[in-house]
Amino acid sequence: MTTATKVAIKPLGDRIVVQPLEAEQTTASGLVIPDTAKEKPQEGRVLAVGPGNWNEDGDERVPLDVKEGDVVLYSKYGGTEVKYGGEEYLVLSARDVLAIIEK
């Protein structure tokens, strides 16, 4: 999977567009994992971030905690899978992002 730097999908509100990272191909002991046994990845790179939701007064947007380029850990069943331009993306709500992974 290629790492795209710009994507033509612009999320709304508190949504985030993530490109899932590839799952591990081998175990720690060196065994190769077949495609049928691979777990769905829960880690991805943020490609686009929405402007955030409006505050309670409706006069100001509340910014999101993540930014483009961050590598995040997201909930296993969160978001909506989208195919666009031959690539697979995940559109998540900000509440589905569990953590930012610092490398």
Side-chain angles (χ1 to χ4, degrees):
M1 191 180 306
T2 61
T3 304
T5 54
K6 272 293 191 201
V7 65
I9 302 170
K10 183 176 179 180
L12 302 174
D14 71 339
R15 302 275 191 252
I16 300 164
V17 177
V18 173
Q19 185 172 36
L21 298 178
E22 290 290 323
E24 289 291 322
Q25 302 291 330
T26 58
T27 64
S29 61
L31 297 174
V32 176
I33 303 171
D35 287 341
T36 55
K38 285 183 190 174
E39 285 194 27
K40 189 173 160 184
Q42 287 181 260
E43 195 175 310
R45 183 170 312 282
V46 176
L47 300 179
V49 177
N53 283 334
W54 293 97
N55 65 6
E56 288 181 18
D57 297 332
D59 59 353
E60 194 175 306
R61 289 219 185 244
V62 178
L64 300 179
D65 295 330
V66 297
K67 63 186 181 309
E68 291 179 17
D70 284 348
V71 175
V72 295
L73 183 67
Y74 50 85
S75 63
K76 193 169 198 160
Y77 301 105
T80 302
E81 293 177 352
V82 176
K83 266 194 168 186
Y84 184 80
E87 293 285 334
E88 290 187 18
Y89 303 103
L90 192 62
V91 179
L92 297 167
S93 175
R95 68 180 171 267
D96 290 331
V97 175
L98 305 174
I100 296 173
I101 299 173
E102 297 178 355
K103 303 249 178 182

